[in-house]
Short mmCIF file of all heavy atoms in Angstrom, two decimals:
data_model
loop_
_atom_site.label_atom_id
_atom_site.label_comp_id
_atom_site.label_asym_id
_atom_site.label_seq_id
_atom_site.Cartn_x
_atom_site.Cartn_y
_atom_site.Cartn_z
N GLY A 135 -16.51 -4.88 -1.98
CA GLY A 135 -15.95 -5.07 -3.31
C GLY A 135 -16.92 -4.78 -4.42
O GLY A 135 -16.96 -5.50 -5.43
N THR A 136 -17.72 -3.75 -4.29
CA THR A 136 -18.66 -3.34 -5.33
C THR A 136 -18.99 -1.87 -5.14
O THR A 136 -18.91 -1.35 -4.02
CB THR A 136 -19.96 -4.16 -5.26
OG1 THR A 136 -20.88 -3.67 -6.25
CG2 THR A 136 -20.62 -4.05 -3.89
N VAL A 137 -19.35 -1.20 -6.21
CA VAL A 137 -19.74 0.21 -6.11
C VAL A 137 -21.26 0.35 -6.05
O VAL A 137 -21.77 1.45 -5.81
CB VAL A 137 -19.20 1.03 -7.30
CG1 VAL A 137 -17.68 1.06 -7.27
CG2 VAL A 137 -19.71 0.48 -8.63
N ASN A 138 -21.96 -0.75 -6.26
CA ASN A 138 -23.43 -0.72 -6.28
C ASN A 138 -24.00 -0.98 -4.89
O ASN A 138 -24.62 -2.01 -4.64
CB ASN A 138 -23.97 -1.75 -7.28
CG ASN A 138 -23.51 -1.47 -8.69
OD1 ASN A 138 -23.55 -0.33 -9.14
ND2 ASN A 138 -23.05 -2.50 -9.39
N VAL A 139 -23.79 -0.03 -4.01
CA VAL A 139 -24.27 -0.19 -2.64
C VAL A 139 -24.71 1.17 -2.10
O VAL A 139 -24.05 2.20 -2.35
CB VAL A 139 -23.17 -0.81 -1.75
CG1 VAL A 139 -21.91 0.03 -1.78
CG2 VAL A 139 -23.65 -1.02 -0.33
N VAL A 140 -25.80 1.18 -1.39
CA VAL A 140 -26.36 2.41 -0.84
C VAL A 140 -25.41 3.02 0.19
O VAL A 140 -24.89 2.33 1.06
CB VAL A 140 -27.73 2.14 -0.17
CG1 VAL A 140 -28.26 3.41 0.50
CG2 VAL A 140 -28.73 1.63 -1.20
N GLY A 141 -25.14 4.30 0.05
CA GLY A 141 -24.31 5.01 1.02
C GLY A 141 -22.85 5.14 0.61
O GLY A 141 -22.08 5.84 1.28
N LEU A 142 -22.45 4.49 -0.50
CA LEU A 142 -21.04 4.53 -0.88
C LEU A 142 -20.59 5.95 -1.25
O LEU A 142 -19.48 6.36 -0.93
CB LEU A 142 -20.76 3.57 -2.03
CG LEU A 142 -19.28 3.46 -2.45
CD1 LEU A 142 -18.45 2.92 -1.30
CD2 LEU A 142 -19.13 2.58 -3.68
N SER A 143 -21.43 6.70 -1.93
CA SER A 143 -21.07 8.07 -2.32
C SER A 143 -20.72 8.91 -1.11
O SER A 143 -19.71 9.64 -1.10
CB SER A 143 -22.22 8.72 -3.10
OG SER A 143 -22.47 8.04 -4.31
N GLU A 144 -21.53 8.82 -0.07
CA GLU A 144 -21.28 9.59 1.15
C GLU A 144 -19.99 9.13 1.83
O GLU A 144 -19.23 9.93 2.38
CB GLU A 144 -22.47 9.45 2.11
CG GLU A 144 -23.75 10.13 1.65
CD GLU A 144 -24.51 9.35 0.57
OE1 GLU A 144 -24.14 8.18 0.30
OE2 GLU A 144 -25.45 9.92 0.00
N LEU A 145 -19.75 7.82 1.78
CA LEU A 145 -18.52 7.28 2.39
C LEU A 145 -17.29 7.79 1.64
O LEU A 145 -16.30 8.20 2.26
CB LEU A 145 -18.55 5.75 2.38
CG LEU A 145 -17.27 5.03 2.84
CD1 LEU A 145 -16.88 5.45 4.25
CD2 LEU A 145 -17.45 3.53 2.75
N LEU A 146 -17.34 7.78 0.31
CA LEU A 146 -16.20 8.24 -0.49
C LEU A 146 -15.87 9.70 -0.21
O LEU A 146 -14.71 10.10 -0.26
CB LEU A 146 -16.49 8.04 -1.98
CG LEU A 146 -16.66 6.60 -2.46
CD1 LEU A 146 -16.98 6.56 -3.95
CD2 LEU A 146 -15.43 5.75 -2.15
N GLU A 147 -16.88 10.49 0.09
CA GLU A 147 -16.66 11.90 0.39
C GLU A 147 -16.14 12.11 1.82
O GLU A 147 -15.55 13.15 2.11
CB GLU A 147 -17.95 12.70 0.20
CG GLU A 147 -18.38 12.83 -1.24
CD GLU A 147 -19.62 13.68 -1.40
OE1 GLU A 147 -20.23 14.06 -0.36
OE2 GLU A 147 -20.01 13.97 -2.54
N ARG A 148 -16.33 11.12 2.68
CA ARG A 148 -15.93 11.28 4.08
C ARG A 148 -14.47 10.88 4.31
O ARG A 148 -13.83 11.40 5.23
CB ARG A 148 -16.85 10.41 4.99
CG ARG A 148 -16.50 10.49 6.48
CD ARG A 148 -16.64 11.90 7.01
NE ARG A 148 -16.28 12.01 8.41
CZ ARG A 148 -15.04 12.17 8.86
NH1 ARG A 148 -14.03 12.24 8.01
NH2 ARG A 148 -14.79 12.28 10.16
N VAL A 149 -13.93 9.98 3.49
CA VAL A 149 -12.55 9.56 3.70
C VAL A 149 -11.59 10.58 3.10
O VAL A 149 -11.96 11.39 2.24
CB VAL A 149 -12.29 8.16 3.09
CG1 VAL A 149 -13.28 7.14 3.66
CG2 VAL A 149 -12.37 8.20 1.57
N ASP A 150 -10.35 10.56 3.57
CA ASP A 150 -9.34 11.50 3.09
C ASP A 150 -8.52 10.95 1.92
O ASP A 150 -8.17 11.68 1.01
CB ASP A 150 -8.40 11.88 4.24
CG ASP A 150 -9.13 12.52 5.39
OD1 ASP A 150 -9.88 13.49 5.15
OD2 ASP A 150 -8.98 12.06 6.54
N TYR A 151 -8.19 9.66 2.00
CA TYR A 151 -7.39 9.02 0.96
C TYR A 151 -7.92 7.61 0.72
O TYR A 151 -8.36 6.94 1.65
CB TYR A 151 -5.92 8.93 1.37
CG TYR A 151 -5.22 10.26 1.44
CD1 TYR A 151 -5.24 11.01 2.61
CD2 TYR A 151 -4.56 10.79 0.33
CE1 TYR A 151 -4.62 12.25 2.69
CE2 TYR A 151 -3.93 12.02 0.40
CZ TYR A 151 -3.96 12.75 1.57
OH TYR A 151 -3.35 13.97 1.64
N ILE A 152 -7.85 7.20 -0.55
CA ILE A 152 -8.28 5.85 -0.92
C ILE A 152 -7.13 5.17 -1.67
O ILE A 152 -6.52 5.76 -2.57
CB ILE A 152 -9.53 5.89 -1.82
CG1 ILE A 152 -10.70 6.55 -1.08
CG2 ILE A 152 -9.92 4.48 -2.27
CD1 ILE A 152 -11.94 6.77 -1.94
N PHE A 153 -6.84 3.92 -1.29
CA PHE A 153 -5.78 3.15 -1.92
C PHE A 153 -6.37 1.88 -2.51
O PHE A 153 -7.13 1.17 -1.85
CB PHE A 153 -4.68 2.84 -0.90
CG PHE A 153 -4.01 4.10 -0.40
CD1 PHE A 153 -4.43 4.69 0.79
CD2 PHE A 153 -3.00 4.69 -1.13
CE1 PHE A 153 -3.85 5.86 1.25
CE2 PHE A 153 -2.40 5.87 -0.68
CZ PHE A 153 -2.82 6.46 0.50
N LEU A 154 -6.01 1.62 -3.77
CA LEU A 154 -6.62 0.52 -4.52
C LEU A 154 -5.57 -0.52 -4.91
O LEU A 154 -4.73 -0.26 -5.79
CB LEU A 154 -7.30 1.05 -5.79
CG LEU A 154 -8.41 2.09 -5.61
CD1 LEU A 154 -7.84 3.51 -5.68
CD2 LEU A 154 -9.48 1.93 -6.66
N PRO A 155 -5.57 -1.70 -4.29
CA PRO A 155 -4.65 -2.77 -4.70
C PRO A 155 -5.02 -3.29 -6.07
O PRO A 155 -6.20 -3.49 -6.38
CB PRO A 155 -4.84 -3.83 -3.61
CG PRO A 155 -6.21 -3.60 -3.08
CD PRO A 155 -6.44 -2.12 -3.17
N MET A 156 -4.01 -3.53 -6.89
CA MET A 156 -4.26 -3.93 -8.27
C MET A 156 -3.35 -5.10 -8.65
O MET A 156 -2.13 -5.01 -8.50
CB MET A 156 -4.02 -2.74 -9.20
CG MET A 156 -4.26 -3.00 -10.67
SD MET A 156 -4.20 -1.46 -11.64
CE MET A 156 -2.49 -0.93 -11.37
N GLU A 157 -3.94 -6.18 -9.14
CA GLU A 157 -3.17 -7.33 -9.59
C GLU A 157 -2.76 -7.16 -11.05
O GLU A 157 -3.43 -6.46 -11.81
CB GLU A 157 -4.01 -8.61 -9.45
CG GLU A 157 -4.39 -8.93 -8.02
CD GLU A 157 -5.31 -10.14 -7.95
OE1 GLU A 157 -4.94 -11.19 -8.51
OE2 GLU A 157 -6.40 -10.02 -7.36
N PRO A 158 -1.68 -7.83 -11.47
CA PRO A 158 -1.20 -7.69 -12.85
C PRO A 158 -1.95 -8.54 -13.86
O PRO A 158 -1.39 -9.42 -14.52
CB PRO A 158 0.27 -8.13 -12.74
CG PRO A 158 0.27 -9.13 -11.64
CD PRO A 158 -0.74 -8.62 -10.64
N ASP A 159 -3.25 -8.32 -13.96
CA ASP A 159 -4.03 -8.95 -15.03
C ASP A 159 -4.97 -7.91 -15.61
O ASP A 159 -5.39 -6.97 -14.92
CB ASP A 159 -4.80 -10.18 -14.53
CG ASP A 159 -5.94 -9.81 -13.60
OD1 ASP A 159 -7.00 -9.38 -14.10
OD2 ASP A 159 -5.79 -9.96 -12.37
N MET A 160 -5.30 -8.05 -16.88
CA MET A 160 -6.01 -7.01 -17.60
C MET A 160 -7.39 -6.72 -17.01
O MET A 160 -7.84 -5.57 -17.00
CB MET A 160 -6.13 -7.38 -19.08
CG MET A 160 -4.79 -7.46 -19.80
SD MET A 160 -3.71 -6.03 -19.48
CE MET A 160 -4.69 -4.71 -20.18
N GLY A 161 -8.07 -7.77 -16.52
CA GLY A 161 -9.39 -7.55 -15.93
C GLY A 161 -9.33 -6.66 -14.70
O GLY A 161 -10.13 -5.73 -14.55
N THR A 162 -8.37 -6.93 -13.82
CA THR A 162 -8.22 -6.13 -12.60
C THR A 162 -7.77 -4.72 -12.92
O THR A 162 -8.23 -3.76 -12.31
CB THR A 162 -7.22 -6.80 -11.64
OG1 THR A 162 -7.64 -8.13 -11.37
CG2 THR A 162 -7.12 -6.03 -10.34
N ILE A 163 -6.86 -4.59 -13.87
CA ILE A 163 -6.37 -3.27 -14.27
C ILE A 163 -7.52 -2.42 -14.81
O ILE A 163 -7.69 -1.26 -14.43
CB ILE A 163 -5.24 -3.40 -15.31
CG1 ILE A 163 -4.01 -4.04 -14.66
CG2 ILE A 163 -4.88 -2.03 -15.89
CD1 ILE A 163 -2.96 -4.49 -15.66
N ALA A 164 -8.33 -3.02 -15.68
CA ALA A 164 -9.47 -2.29 -16.26
C ALA A 164 -10.48 -1.91 -15.17
O ALA A 164 -11.02 -0.80 -15.16
CB ALA A 164 -10.14 -3.15 -17.33
#
Side-chain angles (χ1 to χ4, degrees):
T136 177
V137 295
N138 299 315
V139 57
V140 176
L142 184 62
S143 297
E144 291 78 10
L145 173 57
L146 296 178
E147 290 183 353
R148 180 61 182 85
V149 304
D150 300 308
Y151 292 88
I152 299 174
F153 296 95
L154 301 93
M156 181 171 63
E157 297 175 53
D159 70 79
M160 296 312 297
T162 304
I163 293 167

